Amino acid sequence: MPIKDGLGGVSYLAGTCLKNGWIKTDGIDSDFKKYLQSNMTANALEAAKNLDRTVYFGLLEDIDRSMKMLQLTLGLNHVPKLGSQNTNKKKSHNEATNETISKIRSHIPGDLWLYEYAKLLFEARWNYMTGLTEVYEHPELPPFPDVLK
């Protein structure tokens, strides 16, 4: 299957994954779900709203702070360690080219928008939970790419 926008994050968090896909769904195609599936902007906004409702999420590229935030969120006495049973043991020396990265990015503007929002939300939560700010300051949504407008 070719890369399709929303398969990585937006559809998952919006609850609009297609039936018979790799993510188990409720199997109900409500009018609202059909609307979201046909409107990527509304779908992305619903995903962002649901991300806001999560108690915790971390960023793989920021594991140390993500695990610290998990500790703070759950009130643990120690910082948990992320397991690594499913680690790629055969490291590839072939990095993706800029052209390949650009092609992939061009197919997933909604997921990239949600990722940008997730980074802003993560920073806002981090700043509040670690005392960098006394009052929680919820981030604004990043601008939508033209293709989502």
Side-chain angles (χ1 to χ4, degrees):
M1 175 156 100
I3 295 172
K4 183 175 181 212
D5 197 24
L7 292 179
V10 171
S11 293
Y12 177 77
L13 279 168
T16 57
C17 296
L18 300 173
K19 288 192 284 188
N20 302 322
W22 60 277
I23 297 172
K24 184 162 176 56
T25 69
D26 59 12
I28 300 169
D29 285 333
S30 67
D31 288 340
F32 182 63
K33 191 183 285 187
K34 289 177 186 175
Y35 165 72
L36 292 177
Q37 288 169 340
S38 68
N39 184 324
M40 194 57 188
T41 301
N43 205 22
L45 288 170
E46 185 71 14
K49 184 171 73 174
N50 289 337
L51 185 61
D52 286 340
R53 293 180 186 151
T54 62
V55 173
Y56 165 83
F57 70 91
L59 300 174
L60 284 175
E61 66 272 20
D62 200 345
I63 287 297
D64 292 340
R65 290 193 313 154
S66 294
M67 293 295 99
K68 178 66 178 175
M69 193 153 33
L70 181 60
Q71 175 197 13
L72 296 170
T73 300
L74 299 178
L76 302 174
N77 293 327
H78 65 283
V79 177
K81 301 287 184 219
L82 182 66
S84 60
Q85 300 106 299
N86 194 19
T87 303
N88 179 4
K89 298 191 182 14
K90 297 180 181 178
K91 301 290 183 198
S92 173
H93 297 288
N94 299 327
E95 295 292 323
T97 66
N98 288 338
E99 179 184 4
T100 299
I101 292 169
S102 180
K103 282 182 182 178
I104 292 170
R105 292 179 71 85
S106 73
H107 288 282
I108 57 169
D111 286 335
L112 291 173
W113 176 86
L114 182 62
Y115 173 66
E116 289 305 315
Y117 179 63
K119 291 190 298 185
L120 294 171
L121 184 58
F122 180 88
E123 285 302 321
R125 290 180 179 187
W126 174 260
N127 289 341
Y128 178 68
M129 294 181 83
T130 60
L132 294 173
T133 57
E134 291 183 22
V135 177
Y136 176 72
E137 297 174 21
H138 193 78
E140 292 188 24
L141 296 171
F144 279 106
D146 288 338
V147 71
L148 293 183
K149 293 180 183 175

